[in-house]
């Protein structure tokens, strides 16, 4: 049985002090029934990590460099993230893809994640144009196959299906649609791991809709942006997920 996941992506929000306070307000969340992951900005990882150390909430980075140590100004290596206590790293978020992270770079980042002991949360998703074109599944399967080329299937990894038109817009896929797309994605996974790999839905998830998504057989968790920035709304999502 796949354990449900609630992951919060803070994106480039909060100062370090504000992030630390947000993390402090998560310490009493009941995370006994679901896996909870928080992805603050790089600058916050040390202090937020210290706050969350006493909880079962796992720490994630929002991306990582394709390179290891060396002359790569401004980059952050997977080794550094693992040393800061990160267990997960988001790879291929649509906001990163929108700034030039193509499938090839996503594949390199997945490899670096495995090399440095981080579990990649691999984001895929179509924009509105692809959604309307009727070629959505072909597009998504292409992203999945490219990522799978870099995956070490002896290790844990996750996919997050995040339709771009639903991110930060208040629009969501319907729970049935998320189930149907995620079921198709699962069908692309190697047979020996397909039943174990967790696939999340992301896109305007909130407390009011989380149970609908998670009641679907193939939807194993949620990746939450905006609603993870307030402790009360994130805890309400965790509670909702825990009751499915
Ligand atoms: C995200 O950033 O991955 C996301 C799904 O954002 P939001 O929940 O705000 O739509």
């Amino acid at each position: 049985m796949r354990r449900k996941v609630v992951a919060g992506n803070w994106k480039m929000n909060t100062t370090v002090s504000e992030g630390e306070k947000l993390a402090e307000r998560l310490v009493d969340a009941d995370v006994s029934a679901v896996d909870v992951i928080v992805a603050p900005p790089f600058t916050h990882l040390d202090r937020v990590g210290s706050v969350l150390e006493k909880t079962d909430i796992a720490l994630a980075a929002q991306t990582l460099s394709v390179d290891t140590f060396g002359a790569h100004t401004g980059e952050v290596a997977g080794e550094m993230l693992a040393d800061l206590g990160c267990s997960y790293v988001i790879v291929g978020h649509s906001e990163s893809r929108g700034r030039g992270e193509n499938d090839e770079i996503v594949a390199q980042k997945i490899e670096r994640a495995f090399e440095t002991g981080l579990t990649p949360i691999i984001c895929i998703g179509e924009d509105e144009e692809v959604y309307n074109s009727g070629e959505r599944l072909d597009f998504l399967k292409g992203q999945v196959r490219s990522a799978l080329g870099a995956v070490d299937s002896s290790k844990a990894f996750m996919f997050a299906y995040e339709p771009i038109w639903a991110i930060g817009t208040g629009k969501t896929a319907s729970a049935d649609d998320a189930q149907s797309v995620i079921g198709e994605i699962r069908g692309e996974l190697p047979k020996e791991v397909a039943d174990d790999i967790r696939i999340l839905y992301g896109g305007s998830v909130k407390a009011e809709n989380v149970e609908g998504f998670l009641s679907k057989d193939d939807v194993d968790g949620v990746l939450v942006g905006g609603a993870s920035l307030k402790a009360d709304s994130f805890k309400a999502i965790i509670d909702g997920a825990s009751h499915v």
Side-chain angles (χ1 to χ4, degrees):
M1 180 113 156
R2 297 182 297 267
R3 201 171 143 86
K4 303 281 188 208
V5 183
V6 175
N9 173 16
W10 293 2
K11 312 192 186 193
M12 197 173 74
N13 288 299
T14 74
T15 62
V16 179
S17 308
E18 288 164 351
E20 193 174 36
K21 287 199 185 83
L22 173 55
E24 277 160 4
R25 294 205 52 214
L26 297 178
V27 167
D28 65 356
D30 178 0
V31 300
S32 54
V34 287
D35 286 349
V36 177
I37 303 168
V38 165
F42 287 143
T43 43
H44 299 35
L45 288 171
D46 197 18
R47 276 165 61 184
V48 168
S50 297
V51 174
L52 297 181
E53 213 169 39
K54 46 185 177 284
T55 72
D56 287 328
I57 300 177
L59 196 62
Q62 297 175 15
T63 185
L64 80 173
S65 174
V66 295
D67 294 301
T68 184
F69 302 107
H72 308 292
T73 303
E75 295 293 311
V76 179
E79 288 86 347
M80 301 171 183
L81 301 172
D83 186 49
L84 278 168
C86 290
S87 317
Y88 296 89
V89 62
I90 296 171
V91 176
H93 191 281
S94 60
E95 289 154 11
S96 307
R97 290 183 189 259
R99 286 192 306 275
E101 190 167 300
N102 58 23
D103 280 346
E104 195 183 327
I105 296 172
V106 170
Q108 288 170 8
K109 291 191 173 191
I110 293 168
E111 284 171 6
R112 285 298 295 144
F114 286 120
E115 279 164 20
T116 54
L118 300 168
T119 297
I121 303 171
I122 306 161
C123 299
I124 59 166
E126 80 288 352
D127 63 16
E128 200 146 25
E129 196 182 324
V130 173
Y131 179 78
N132 290 328
S133 72
E135 284 166 21
R136 171 167 66 148
L137 284 179
D138 285 345
F139 176 85
L140 293 171
K141 287 179 183 180
Q143 286 188 325
V144 171
R145 280 196 289 267
S146 168
L148 287 174
V151 151
D152 177 348
S153 55
S154 70
K155 297 191 176 141
F157 61 96
M158 296 181 197
F159 274 101
Y161 167 54
E162 298 207 297
I164 297 171
W165 47 267
I167 295 182
T169 59
K171 293 185 204 167
T172 64
S174 69
D176 284 339
D177 191 42
Q179 161 60 32
S180 141
V181 171
I182 288 176
E184 292 278 345
I185 295 167
R186 196 176 301 288
E188 292 298 301
L189 301 181
K191 290 236 169 341
E192 61 282 11
V193 297
D195 285 340
D196 301 326
I197 294 304
R198 291 181 287 181
I199 309 179
L200 321 186
Y201 166 79
S204 299
V205 171
K206 16 188 208 298
E208 295 74 36
N209 58 27
V210 66
E211 292 182 43
F213 289 113
L214 292 185
S215 63
K216 300 294 174 188
D217 284 351
D218 280 298
V219 184
D220 302 318
V222 286
L223 181 52
V224 185
S228 70
L229 290 170
K230 294 260 183 299
D232 288 345
S233 56
F234 194 54
K235 285 199 263 194
I237 291 172
I238 296 169
D239 281 348
S242 302
H243 289 113
V244 177

